[in-house]
């Protein structure tokens, strides 16, 4: 609201970006659908008051429309600051040393907040099926969050083998996180909450394809078996998809290359499109306010 008022005072256009599921957020915090409806109604009024509205994906735009917004929305992709480093082997070796990452297993990786609505239960349940099936995989979970203790307790109840599931906490060192991505074979991110997760692009920049839940906003960034993988939101489907990914000759290698090519858009690529769009918005604003 302040931004819209200040823009009006300065005589310049105000652009608002929608990228969060506010209705879900309010319910997760308060448990009240009534309060969630009140908050989203206020949000729609705000977006109706600005000169241009952007979203980070078409699915995110549809979320805003589902709240009642009926105006135009421009989809502007997220980018990443990550690019394949010049010393990937060194970064990979450092991460392997720090986090004791085995070199003879397929590494599944999750990076994100430790909150249930990121689908951590599905990740753990799927991995339990993998562990019961064979000894080929290890799971690494990076991040912290307000559900962290409950998630750890749930994992303990599944009785995983020693070193099979590794909660490594928050990684603040950028190069160490790059090394973790480089050590992974598959980025496992089945969240149905996220809109355009930066972590999927970060993983892709390191040549790591993602397994996402089919039909979600997050999955909009990939094409199945070309630049990523998708499966239904249940442990059996995810389990079978992981076996297919690594059991199909050449598939993982092909999609890894596709993820790096198609998903890992850098801000260097995105910013020129942003500037062009800014120019169009400014020109339209001046035309509409010259009378």
């Amino acid at each position: 609201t302040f931004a819209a008022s200040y823009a009006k005072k300065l005589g310049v256009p105000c652009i608002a970006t929608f990228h969060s599921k506010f209705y879900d957020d309010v319910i997760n915090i308060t448990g009240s659908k009534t309060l969630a409806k009140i908050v989203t109604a206020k949000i729609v009024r705000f977006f109706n008051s600005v000169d241009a509205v952007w979203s980070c994906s078409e699915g995110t735009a549809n979320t805003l429309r589902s709240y009642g917004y009926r105006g135009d929305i421009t989809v502007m992709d997220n980018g990443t600051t990550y690019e394949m480093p010049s010393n990937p082997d060194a970064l990979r070796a450092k991460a392997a040393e720090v986090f004791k990452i085995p070199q003879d297993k397929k590494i599944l990786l999750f990076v994100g907040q430790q909150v249930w609505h990121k689908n951590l239960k599905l990740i753990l349940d799927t991995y339990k099926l993998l562990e019961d099936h064979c000894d080929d995989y290890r799971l690494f979970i990076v991040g912290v969050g307000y559900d962290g203790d409950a998630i750890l307790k749930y994992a303990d109840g599944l009785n995983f083998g020693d070193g099979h599931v590794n909660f490594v906490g928050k990684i603040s060192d950028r190069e160490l996180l790059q090394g973790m991505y480089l050590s992974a074979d598959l980025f496992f991110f089945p969240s149905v909450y996220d809109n355009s997760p930066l972590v999927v692009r970060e993983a892709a920049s390191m040549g790591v394809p993602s397994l996402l839940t089919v039909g979600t906003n997050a999955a909009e960034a990939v094409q199945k078996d070309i630049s990523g993988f998708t499966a239904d939101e249940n442990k059996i489907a995810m389990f079978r998809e992981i076996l297919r990914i690594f059991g199909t000759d050449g598939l993982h290698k092909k999609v890894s290359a596709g993820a790096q090519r198609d998903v890992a858009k850098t801000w260097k690529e995105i910013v020129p499109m942003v500037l062009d769009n800014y120019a169009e918005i400014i020109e339209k604003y001046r035309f509409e306010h010259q009378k």
Side-chain angles (χ1 to χ4, degrees), residues 16-19 22 42-54 64 69:
T17 302
F18 180 82
H19 53 76
F22 293 101
K42 287 181 177 292
I43 287 167
V44 169
R45 285 198 292 272
F46 164 72
F47 280 99
N48 281 327
S49 73
V50 301
D51 300 288
V53 175
W54 290 4
L64 180 55
Y69 178 78

Side-chain angles (χ1 to χ4, degrees), residues 7-14 49-52 281-291:
K8 186 175 182 180
K9 179 180 178 180
L10 295 176
V12 298
C14 179
S49 73
V50 301
D51 300 288
I281 292 168
I282 292 169
E283 183 178 357
K284 179 182 177 183
Y285 181 88
R286 286 174 175 170
F287 177 78
E288 292 176 347
H289 290 78
Q290 66 184 0
K291 300 177 183 180

Side-chain angles (χ1 to χ4, degrees), residues 80-89 91-92 174 178 181-182 201-208 256 260 264 266:
T80 177
T81 59
Y82 281 75
E83 295 182 73
M84 180 62 75
S86 59
N87 58 337
D89 291 341
L91 295 182
R92 188 182 296 109
R174 180 183 175 87
Q178 279 184 296
Y181 281 124
L182 289 164
R201 298 192 188 279
E202 290 175 358
S205 71
M206 300 296 111
V208 183
S256 296
Q260 194 167 29
T266 67

